[in-house]
Each structure stands twice: as C-alpha cells, then as structure tokens.
Amino acid sequence: MKTFTMPGTDIVAPNVLLGLMRIADKTDDEVRALVRTARDAGIDFIDHADIYGTERNGCERRFAEALQLTPSQRDQITIQTKTGIREGYFDFSYEHIIESVEESLEALRTDRIDILLLHRPDALVEPQEVARAFEELEASGKVRAFGVSNHTPRQIDLLKKYVRQPIVANQLQLSITHSPIIAQGVATNMVAEQQSITLDGGGILDYCRLHDITIQTWSPFQAGFFSGVFLGSPKHPELNAVIDRLATQYDVPAIAIATAWITRHRPRCK
Ligand SMILES: NC(=O)c1ccc[n+]([C@@H]2O[C@H](COP(=O)([O-])OP(=O)(O)OC[C@H]3O[C@@H](n4cnc5c(N)ncnc54)[C@H](OP(=O)(O)O)[C@@H]3O)[C@@H](O)[C@H]2O)c1
C-alpha cells in the first residue's frame, strides 16, 4: 500500500481508506474481519461519522465494541469522524461541534480523534464559532487535525478566514460514473457540454491541490447517489468492458481498476 504524510499533519496515511458507514448490522466477527482484511492490505485509516448507523453514533459504537482496542492498538490506527449533521438539518454551532465530539469519543472508546471533518456545509455557519470549537478541541488534545466534507472552495475560504488550523481534507463524492469535480474542468466554457456546468462551486480539485488539502472520495464504486455499484452492472456494459479488459491486462480484480482511476488523480484522491 502506498502511503504519504498528509499535508498539514504528521499522519502517515494509506492511499486507500476504510469507510465504516455500513457496519450497523454487522456482527462483531464481521466487523473484526472487515478491519483485519483492511489492515492486512495496509489500510490503517478508518472513516466514521457521528450519524452513521440506525441510531446516533451507531457505527462508531459498533466498531469500538467489536474491536476492543488496547491503547497500543489504538495508536496504530488513524480514526477520522465527522460532525455537523443533526436530524434533518446542519449545525456548525460551537455547542454542537463540542457536544458531538464528546459523544464520538465516548462511542469510539478513545481519548482523541485524529481528524474531525465538518460533514456537509451549514448555510447558517458562523465561522468564528467553528474556530472557537476547533481551538478548544485542539488545546484539550481531543482532536489532532481538522477538515471538511462536501465543501466548495469559497466555503473553505470563509472558514479559513477565522480557523487557525489547516483544513487538511475535503471528502467528496467521486467515482468513474460520478466525476463532475474532474469533468467540469475538462469541459470548461463549452456551452453544449452538460459537464461544463459547475457543480462544485468552481474548481474544487485544483483549489484543494493549491492549498494542500487531501481529497478523500466517498461512494467510489456507486454509479450515483447510493444507486448501486457500477462494477458488473448491466446498466454500464461499455464501462465494464473497458474495466474488465484493463483488469485482465494488469492481472488485478476489476475493483482495483476502479480504485486506481481515483487514486491517479491529485491531490491524493483516496
Ligand atoms: N462524506 C460524505 O458525505 C459521505 C457520504 C457517503 C459515504 N461516505 C464515506 O464513504 C464510505 C464509502 O461509501 P459507500 O459505502 O457508499 O461506497 P462504495 O464502496 O462505493 O459502496 C459500498 C457498497 O458497494 C458494494 N460493493 C462494493 N464493491 C462491490 C463489488 N465489486 N461488487 C458488488 N458490490 C460491491 C458493497 O457491498 P459489500 O458490503 O457486500 O461489499 C457496499 O454495499 C462510507 O463508508 C463513508 O465512510 C461519506
């Protein structure tokens, strides 16, 4: 597994990370097998969110219960989680960020979160409140680094005006079949091309590259927004023919080709 030191942190991250959004109904054995398989492949970076699971902190709790990490085992993995989504609305208030981190720490049975992401933009954000929460969480050692998810360049600029810590990651939806953050830049200013329409607030890929923000990708094998995987799907015959040809050529499974398509892009699409 290729690794790199995430800009703005001292975290050595693998090129691929393990998202645990779908473990709510898995048994302890299944969760352990999933994490062990990832670790064996060199994936020691885990992505959570407070809202994953059928109840709040459900997947974080499921993970901690199944793994029962000792302190030294905890030191060997990077744990990232997210805050800012409540039942039916977004909330980047100081109170909510602090409260949700406390809940995540308790559910994860740990004393620190390695990276905390603001999950989806809050239209009513007061960036000074975010800055105050980040200062407090960093000073207390409860959070080591901070990032965002689903944010546009201007939303990040607004945060950066007040937040002192570097924004180290932006987690965005990206797969071969959902690639507007890449396609828009290729088709820019071509009126006839639907993909020239800016969906990301304008050049988020290059913005992150310019500002040393690692892009993490979500739903890397989904055709659209949780609409089923494209790999092996009869809805995508031409795409699968190309993926299968390359998989045979490089003697790897098809999923490796779909992953490599993402990791080939910069900055560090994981
Ligand atoms: N920041 C955000 O807003 C956001 C939003 C969504 C997700 N996320 C993060 O991104 C992570 C990944 O998202 P995701 O779970 O939607 O992504 P995904 O990996 O594209 O989709 C996972 C689903 O696809 C299935 N699958 C994967 N490869 C397959 C294959 N080769 N053949 C058939 N089925 C296959 C899996 O089934 P099996 O379980 O049977 O393998 C699973 O049900 C989440 O865990 C979460 O950490 C973040």
Side-chain angles (χ1 to χ4, degrees), residues 19-22 47 52 149-150 171 218-222 229:
L20 292 182
M21 180 182 74
R22 297 179 190 263
D47 182 64
Y52 291 166
S149 177
N150 305 304
Q171 193 170 104
W218 58 265
S219 291
F221 312 119
Q222 297 287 316
V229 292

Side-chain angles (χ1 to χ4, degrees), residues 61 64-65 68-69 74 104-111:
R61 191 160 283 119
E65 281 168 359
Q68 306 268 348
L69 295 173
R74 168 66 186 90
S104 288
L105 288 170
E106 191 260 323
L108 288 162
R109 300 187 189 177
T110 185
D111 60 354

Side-chain angles (χ1 to χ4, degrees), residues 163-208:
V163 170
R164 190 182 49 79
Q165 297 80 5
I167 301 296
V168 303
N170 189 11
Q171 193 170 104
L172 298 158
Q173 186 180 6
L174 178 66
S175 69
I176 297 177
T177 48
H178 180 89
S179 56
I181 66 171
I182 292 165
Q184 173 264 325
V186 176
T188 195
N189 206 29
M190 295 172 76
V191 174
E193 290 294 331
Q194 178 73 13
Q195 68 182 30
S196 72
I197 295 168
T198 301
L199 297 178
D200 66 2
I204 189 65
L205 200 72
D206 295 324
Y207 176 90
C208 289

Side-chain angles (χ1 to χ4, degrees), residues 1 4 12 24 63 95 174 181 197 213-214 228 233-234 240 247 268:
M1 177 64 60
F4 68 103
V12 178
F63 166 79
E95 288 78 13
L174 178 66
I181 66 171
I197 295 168
I213 298 172
T214 299
S233 164
N240 278 295
R268 302 278 181 194

